[in-house]
Structures are given as structure tokens and as C-alpha cells.
Amino acid sequence: MARFRWPMAFAILLLAGLAGSGCSVLPGSGAAVAELPPLRLANGVVTLDDVPALAPSPELTALTEPMRAFVARYAPRTLAPRQRLNSLHEAIKGPGMLAVGYDPFADGDAETVFDSGAANCLSYAHLFVALAREAGLNASYQWLEVRPQWTRLGERVAVSLHVNVLVKVSAGEQYMVDIDPLQPRDIAASRKLGDRDARALQHNNLAMAALAGAEPEVAWANAIRALQLSPDLPELWVNLAAVYRHAEQFSAAENALFQALKIDSGERSAMNNLVVLYSQLGREGEREFWVERVNRHRDLNPYYHAWLGDKAGEEEDWTTALDHYRQALKLEPKNSRLLYSTGIIHFRLAQYDAAERLVERAIATATLRPDILDYQVQLAAVRRRQLADTH
């Protein structure tokens, strides 16, 4: 029996094109940051004037002489751009060279990662952007939105975000570079980030770490600094709301969540946090309103139905899995990964004609070259099984 698998990611992945996630930007977001109330704590008040001292902005991609020497040795400009990219990536991750390893808690700038040999996705992006630009490569930050996962009750959604590096080596040829690559099927959307956005995300990470470490004044200052840099990232407003809620400034938390929704009316974390906030305050009518909004948004999300299909597939209930994936395709009929997955479910049900048609459509709509190659392998396997069963 042919073995079917989900398409795997690569540490360096050829990117032919990936749909960006659009959100309606609110022009007044920057002004809203300037009007934010101070943080009120038992031991005093923290104001906007305190932010520079509490949350200084580091130069994340600054180079040292050893870093420049590393680039000169492993990615000299005498090499073609693609060779430079591959050689640099191998030198950074390869054993016996820099050997940078993944550590989800290893935050820091490019120099810190270079010296320590440990990085999370964001700090690795700082390092690679810095070294790639020194090598003369067109490197920028990229934000990937991870396909959401729900609890079995479907009432809470965990939204994951992931940062990697986009390197353009020629017209029409660009690559994603990642220390901990996602499977392509788990990428819901992507968008290019500027260096200011990357600094904002660094401050956001520092804010959440400080909040977990019972340093609310440092958390608030870093959350504010993140928004000063990138006021139109709704996720930053959601995290600022968490700081305000921790300080029991519930009105400020509520306003921050509504600001996130003004920027992106579909921001799932903001809606979920409003449910939590109104539950905490006993405002049951408003809580019920946002529970309904969350559920309605969930039901219109193709990935929710795909998630239900995956759960049915884990139980080998392929008929139910097919029903869920058909609903997902109704909501997003040109999604190559949904097409491919639905085709594989048809294969599991021995519906070979339908499986062939859907995998062919997946190939026609896919944009990532590794996906296309993987789908072609699976299509050949479908055809072989179909041929074997008709003889």
C-alpha cells in the first residue's frame, strides 16, 4: 500500500509565492498609543516618559568583526547569490562551524546568537538577516501565521505566530530560511516585515517575559515601545491588554482589545480575550455577545473544519473527515493544501477518480515548489493504485 504523508518543510524553502494576510489598517493607531493611560501599580505609576529608560531599543542586526570575518570566509561575494545563501545557512547551523541550535527561550540580538550558539525563531532571524546582508543578499524578515488549533470544545483558539527570513536571490526566485521550519500545511498566511516591525516583536517578547517574571512595569514599557514602533500590529495591542488586565486596569485592557479589533476585525485573540475579560468582570451579556462572535468566526474559518477533519482522520473515520474537509473547501476552494488533503481522504475511501481530480487541482493551485513535487509523487501513487485495482 502506498504510504501517504503531509508535505514536509525545508530549512531553506523555495518560495514561489505565498498569499499574504490582509487587515484593514486604522490610520489613528499611532495616535492611540500616545493617548494610552499610565500603568498604575501599588508601588507607583509608570508613564510614557519612563518607557525609554525601561525599554531601550537594541540594534538587533549590528555586526562585530568576528561576524564579518565569518561571512567573508563562508559566503564570499565571489560566489553566486544562491551559493552564498546555501553556504551561509550551512555554516550557521552546521556541526563544527557555528552550530546554532534551536532554543525557544533564547531571545537576543544577532551578536548574542552568534556568541551563544542558541536561538529561537526571532533571534535566529536577527542573526541571519545581519549576516546575509553583509554577504550582499537581499534579506528581510517575514511573519508567518500558523494554522490555528482549537480545543475539542472549539471555544478557545490558540494563535501561533512565527518569524523567519525571506531571501530574494533573483527575479522570481526567493527562499524562506528558518531555524525551526514549519510544515507548509501549517502556514495559514505570511507577510513581509520591516526592521521596525522586527524590533517591535523583540520588545513584545521582552514584555511577555517580564510579565511572566512578575515585572509588570518592564512588561508595560516594552509593550508600549513595541506599539510605538509598529502600532498597526493588532497582536501587540492584545498583549498590552494582558499587561493592563494583570494590573486590574480593566477599562484600559478593554480599550486595547477594541483597538486590536479596529485594526483587524477578525483578530481571534482579541475576541477570546474579551470573553475572558467580561467573564472576570461578571458582564455576562457582553461575554455572551463575544462568545457568539468567536463561534461565528470559528465556523467561517476553513481551518476549523480542517481541524475537525484531522481529528476524525486520527480515528480513521474517513467519511466524517471527508464531510469536514468538504466544508473547508466550500470556504476556501482554491487552497492547495485543503485540496490535497481532501484528495487523500478520497484515496482512503478508495474513491480514486475523486482523489486524482483533487490532487491534480492541488498541483495546479500550489505555489511552493516542494509542495508541487510532493503532490506529484502522491498523484503518481494514486494512479498506480487505481490501475492495480482495475486489473
Side-chain angles (χ1 to χ4, degrees):
M1 178 176 178
R3 180 173 177 269
F4 285 83
R5 53 192 167 83
W6 298 113
M8 298 299 292
F10 298 89
I12 298 184
L13 183 65
L14 175 62
L15 183 68
L18 194 62
S21 67
C23 61
S24 56
V25 172
L26 187 72
S29 299
V33 177
E35 297 170 0
L36 285 166
L39 185 72
R40 302 187 182 280
L41 302 171
N43 59 350
V45 176
V46 188
T47 71
L48 293 175
D49 292 337
D50 298 316
V51 169
L54 288 170
S57 281
E59 178 51 62
L60 297 172
T61 57
L63 291 165
T64 62
E65 284 308 313
M67 294 166 75
R68 290 190 176 91
F70 180 86
V71 172
R73 178 178 181 183
Y74 292 108
R77 299 198 182 202
T78 52
L79 297 177
R82 192 191 305 169
Q83 291 176 300
R84 260 178 280 161
L85 170 61
N86 287 325
S87 178
L88 182 62
H89 187 260
E90 288 300 319
I92 292 172
K93 293 191 69 178
M97 290 181 275
L98 202 56
V100 173
Y102 178 72
D103 179 346
F105 303 105
D107 241 325
D109 57 20
E111 181 182 356
T112 300
V113 175
F114 187 86
D115 292 339
S116 69
N120 59 23
C121 69
L122 181 59
S123 58
Y124 184 78
H126 299 326
L127 176 67
F128 202 91
V129 165
L131 298 183
R133 289 175 179 173
E134 174 68 13
L137 295 169
N138 183 355
S140 59
Y141 294 91
Q142 181 175 236
W143 178 310
L144 300 181
E145 183 175 346
V146 183
R147 172 175 154 172
Q149 300 289 322
W150 281 263
T151 65
R152 289 191 181 274
L153 291 177
E155 291 182 354
R156 289 178 61 193
V157 59
V159 180
S160 298
L161 298 162
H162 185 81
V163 176
N164 65 11
V165 180
L166 184 66
V167 181
K168 184 176 181 180
V169 297
S170 65
E173 187 178 10
Q174 50 190 1
Y175 293 80
M176 291 193 297
V177 183
D178 210 320
I179 190 174
D180 186 37
L182 302 173
Q183 290 194 17
R185 68 180 291 267
D186 289 332
I187 302 172
S190 72
R191 65 178 180 267
K192 189 175 177 180
L193 293 174
D195 287 7
R196 283 178 64 90
D197 297 320
R199 289 209 307 277
L201 294 178
Q202 183 74 19
H203 280 289
N204 178 71
N205 282 3
L206 293 172
M208 293 301 96
L211 187 62
E215 296 180 285
E217 66 283 358
V218 176
W220 182 81
N222 276 284
I224 294 294
R225 185 64 187 128
L227 283 165
Q228 288 173 341
L229 290 163
S230 296
D232 296 323
L233 291 181
E235 296 82 3
L236 303 184
W237 287 96
V238 173
N239 285 340
L240 175 64
V243 180
Y244 277 128
R245 189 160 65 85
H246 177 82
E248 298 187 351
Q249 291 178 242
F250 300 120
S251 178
E254 181 182 29
N255 290 336
L257 293 172
F258 277 118
Q259 185 66 28
L261 289 167
K262 287 179 183 178
I263 297 169
D264 182 356
S265 62
E267 173 51 51
R268 298 180 292 273
S269 293
M271 289 187 277
N272 287 321
N273 276 277
L274 282 170
V275 171
V276 173
L277 178 63
Y278 292 139
S279 296
Q280 185 175 353
L281 297 177
R283 292 159 61 173
E284 193 59 28
E286 289 156 298
R287 176 190 174 278
E288 288 299 322
F289 173 84
W290 286 103
V291 166
E292 176 60 28
R293 280 284 302 271
V294 168
N295 288 340
R296 187 162 66 248
H297 185 272
R298 175 205 65 190
D299 291 339
L300 292 174
N301 190 314
Y303 294 111
Y304 171 62
H305 299 282
W307 177 82
L308 292 175
D310 292 343
K311 294 301 176 185
E314 289 173 5
E315 303 296 326
E316 297 195 4
D317 182 356
W318 300 112
T319 300
T320 301
L322 182 59
D323 289 340
H324 289 305
Y325 264 93
R326 281 174 169 165
Q327 182 61 34
L329 278 176
K330 285 182 182 178
L331 294 167
E332 197 166 336
K334 295 183 179 180
N335 184 302
S336 65
R337 294 173 190 126
L338 295 178
L339 288 164
Y340 169 76
S341 299
T342 309
I344 296 307
I345 294 171
H346 277 292
F347 173 84
R348 296 290 188 182
L349 292 167
Q351 298 168 354
Y352 302 124
D353 288 341
E356 183 176 12
R357 286 195 304 271
L358 283 160
V359 177
E360 285 175 342
R361 285 172 59 192
I363 293 169
T365 56
T367 56
L368 291 173
R369 184 62 181 167
D371 280 3
I372 293 171
L373 294 174
D374 197 70
Y375 298 168
Q376 288 172 339
V377 170
Q378 309 305 342
L379 178 61
V382 170
R383 288 170 172 166
R384 285 196 300 270
R385 173 54 62 85
Q386 184 176 27
L387 184 63
D389 286 1
T390 55
H391 287 79

